[in-house]
Amino acid sequence: MSDFAEIKIGDSVISLPIIVGTEDEKAIDISVLLAKTGHTTFDVGYKNTGATKSAITFLDGDKGILRYCGYPIEQLAGKSTFIEVCYLLLHRELPTAAQLADFEKNIAAYYELPAEVIAVLDVLPTNMHPMGIMSTLLSTLTGAYPADLEPNASEETHWKNAFRILGHMPAMVAYIYRKQNGLAYIAPSADLDYCGNFLNMMTGKVDKDVVEALNVLLILHADHEQNCSTSTVRIIGSSQANIFASVSGGNQALWGPLHGGANQEVIEMLEEIKAVGRTAEEHISMVKTKTAGVRLMGFGHRVYKNFDPRAQIIKKYCDVVLEKLDIQDPVLGIAKTLEETALSDDYFTSRKLFPNVDFYSGIIYRALGIPMDMFTVMFAFGRMPGWISQWRELRAAKEPIGRPRQVYTGYTSRDYVAIENR
Ligand code: ACO
C-alpha cells in the first residue's frame, strides 16, 4: 500500500505522508496542507482529527478494545491494583515488587495536605460543587509548590510533582466531602494502602470488599487516550503552563454532563424515573422524540460503537458489589430495564448507542457510600494518573502549542460608524 495520500485541488495534486501506528491505525499527515494549498481541514468536535502520537493507551471503538501500555483493561481490572496501574501509566512498564514499594512510598510522602490547600478549602462556600472545589484545590498546589512550576524543570521535579498530585488526591477528595458534610478531617494513615487510606479518610472505615471495588473502578477510569478532559490537559500543557494548572483545567472539562458529569446525571435520571413512576418505555420514548432535549444519560460514546469494555466490567461488578455489601438498590432494576429496552430499540441500535462506563458506575459509588455530587470527583481521582502521564508525554515530546484553525463565517470588512449615526 502507498505511504502517501494524494489530494487534488483544482489542477494541482499534492502528496501527503501516511503515518501508521503500532496497531496499524493510519493517519494522513496534513501538516503541510495549508502552506502548500492554502486550505485548512474542517472537523467540528475533532471527530476525526489526530492531534498527537501517544504510547500510553490504545482503544479500538469498533472492537471494544481498551489497553493501557498494551495490557488489556479486563486483565488489569481483574488482577492489578490502582496504584500499580498508576505506575504503569507513568512508566509504561509494570513494576517489580521493589519498584512498586518505592513508588508507593514516594506517593505516601505527600498524603498530608499542604497548609495552603487546607486554608483555601476552609474559605470556599459550602454550597460550591465538589468539582469546582477540586479544580480550585489543584490550582492551589501552585501556591504550595511555587518553586517547581517551570515547564522545563528537571526530571526529578516533574516526578516530585506527579507524586505530590497522586499523594494529595485521596485527602483532597475525602476532605472536600467531609468539609461539605460538617465532618471532621481524618488524618492519613501510613499503615494502609492507597485505596484503603482513601476510604478511611472518606468514611472512617476500611472494608476489604469495598477496597477491591474501588480499585476496579479507579483502574477503569485511569486513562482513555485523547478524550475531552485529557485533550484539555494537553492543550493547557502545550502553552507550557505547569502541571497543576493543566490538571485543574482537565478537571473542569471532565465536569460537563456529556463527559465525566454523566455519572451523576445517570443517577439523577434513574431517581427521577422512580420518583415520578415513569416506565422504562415511557422514558425511552421521551428520549426518542428529542422534544425535551432528554438524552439517555450513560448511553453513547464518541469512539465506542459496539460496546464500551469498561461498561461490561462495571455491569458485572455492580451485581457482585451490591450482593457483597448486601444492598438492594431499586434504581439498579430501573437501569437494567432501561438498558434492555434501549438495546432492543432501533433508535439506539441504528445510532450505535450502548451503555458507557458511566451507566453503572454511579450505582456502585452509591453502594460504597459516596454521595452523588462526589461521583465526578471520583472519576477525576481515577483519571489523574492518565492526565499526568499524558502531560508528561506532551512535554517530553516538546509538542508545539495547541491551536486549531477555523472557517470564519462572520462579517467581512466594514467601516466603523460613529454612535450618533447608527
Ligand atoms: N441518548 C439519546 N440520543 C443520543 C445519545 C443519548 N445518550 N447519544 C447520542 N444520541 C444521538 C444524537 O441525538 C444523535 O442523533 P441524530 O443523528 O438523530 O442527531 C446521534 O445519537 C449521534 O450523537 P452525537 O451527539 O452526534 O454523538 P457524539 O459522538 O457527538 O456524542 C456523547 C457522544 C457526548 C457521549 C453522547 O452519546 C451523549 O451525549 N451521551 C450521553 C452523555 C454521556 O453518557 N456521556 C458520557 C460519555 S463517556 C465519558 O465521557 C466517560
Side-chain angles (χ1 to χ4, degrees), residues 411-417:
Y411 288 108
T412 53
S413 177
R414 50 185 178 157
D415 289 326
Y416 178 80
V417 179

Side-chain angles (χ1 to χ4, degrees), residues 47 258-259 287 290 295-296 298-300 302 347 351 356:
K47 291 196 176 194
L258 298 189
H259 191 15
V287 169
K290 294 187 178 178
R295 282 200 162 191
L296 184 55
F299 255 67
R302 170 61 61 78
Y347 174 95
R351 289 173 177 77
N356 60 50

